[in-house]
Amino acid sequence: SYELTQPPSVSVSPGQTARITCSGDAFPKQYAYWYQQKPGQAPVLVIYKHIERPSGIPERFSGSTSGTTVTLTISGVQAEDEADYYCQSSDSRATYPGVFGGGTKLTVL
Amino acid sequence: EVRLVESGGGLVQPGGSLRLSCAASGFTFTNYEMNWVRQAPGKGLEWLSYISSYGTTIYYADSVKGRFTISRDNAKNSLYLQMNSLRAEDTAVYYCARAESYGGNSGLFSWGQGTLVTVSS
């Protein structure tokens, strides 16, 4: 089955830049989606179609691709950005959301 | 405002059944594909199932195929997940989520608050 690989954890100090990667063989052909989840809350979409930002999401959140790796970048990290982040995509032949990465815990030091 | 409200969770014994519901409001339900996603305690997100806007196309994760059935009632703006032969490892918060694609594979743009299912004797 198709898998997306994320680092378990990333730590940054406030004001620094956090980068969370997600690797998958179907990138970049298949779009990546990124979700933020805070404790006890439902996930929230922060990036769609690799690089697009939904309305209401701060500009410090951005997405990029390089080969079979996609990256969520949070510039000028704030304490409120501490959360779990998940990438999501589909295998090479699918259009439905079939797979999530294992998630990355972002810690703001 | 898009609103998705899950219900039907609770405590069930191993081998038992449960039916989850998701009430949708604030948008034209028939225009959207829907999904179920779950999250076991302390674990990551797991996609479970997809249903197209009129229910003609359905997909399942291998972990629930043959045990869970997704369905929708567009007249009632509702999504369902019938869960049979439940196991301890099915214990999780279950979310319904609305999919959008804008071309290409889709993502989950709106989520409900989740409903907790606990499978235990």
Side-chain angles (χ1 to χ4, degrees):
Chain A
S1 62
Y2 185 51
E3 293 184 353
L4 299 176
T5 302
Q6 298 180 234
S9 62
V10 168
S11 299
V12 295
S13 299
Q16 291 189 327
T17 296
R19 294 180 179 86
I20 300 172
T21 59
C22 174
S23 298
D25 290 343
F27 295 138
K29 176 185 174 186
Q30 294 287 56
Y31 289 126
Y33 296 80
W34 289 95
Y35 305 89
Q36 176 194 67
Q37 186 181 34
K38 296 182 179 179
Q41 298 183 19
V44 173
L45 181 73
V46 294
I47 293 291
Y48 67 100
K49 291 179 66 176
H50 291 322
I51 61 172
E52 303 293 338
R53 193 173 53 250
S55 60
I57 300 302
E59 291 184 5
R60 62 180 181 274
F61 288 86
S62 64
S64 62
T65 69
S66 178
T68 58
T69 298
V70 297
T71 302
L72 171 68
T73 301
I74 310 171
S75 304
V77 166
Q78 302 181 6
E80 67 198 51
D81 299 329
E82 184 164 290
D84 293 323
Y85 291 86
Y86 296 90
C87 61
Q88 173 257 306
S89 189
S90 313
D91 71 33
S92 59
R93 295 167 295 177
T95 58
Y96 59 93
V99 62
F100 287 93
T104 299
K105 169 66 177 179
L106 174 65
T107 300
V108 181
L109 301 170
Chain B
E1 177 195 4
V2 173
R3 194 156 186 243
L4 299 169
V5 179
E6 302 92 339
S7 61
L11 176 64
V12 61
Q13 292 188 339
S17 298
L18 211 55
R19 188 196 196 205
L20 305 183
S21 299
C22 172
S25 60
F27 63 100
T28 303
F29 190 59
T30 52
N31 285 352
Y32 291 91
E33 304 157 353
M34 299 295 294
N35 293 259
W36 286 99
V37 175
R38 72 182 177 187
Q39 186 170 37
K43 302 297 184 180
L45 301 173
E46 179 186 15
W47 173 83
L48 294 181
S49 186
Y50 158 98
I51 186 167
S52 60
S53 56
Y54 286 93
T56 55
T57 301
I58 287 173
Y59 298 106
Y60 297 100
D62 289 344
S63 59
V64 303
K65 196 175 298 181
R67 299 189 300 125
F68 290 11
T69 302
I70 191 172
S71 63
R72 63 190 294 162
D73 184 337
N74 287 344
K76 295 183 178 179
N77 290 342
S78 292
L79 175 72
Y80 305 102
L81 186 68
Q82 177 67 42
M83 305 187 296
N84 298 331
S85 303
L86 284 162
R87 309 164 180 167
E89 54 264 37
D90 294 318
T91 294
V93 174
Y94 286 71
Y95 297 99
C96 68
R98 189 183 86 172
E100 298 177 39
S101 64
Y102 298 99
N105 57 304
S106 57
L108 302 170
F109 281 64
S110 300
W111 297 64
Q113 85 290 347
T115 187
L116 176 63
V117 172
T118 302
V119 184
S120 175
S121 55

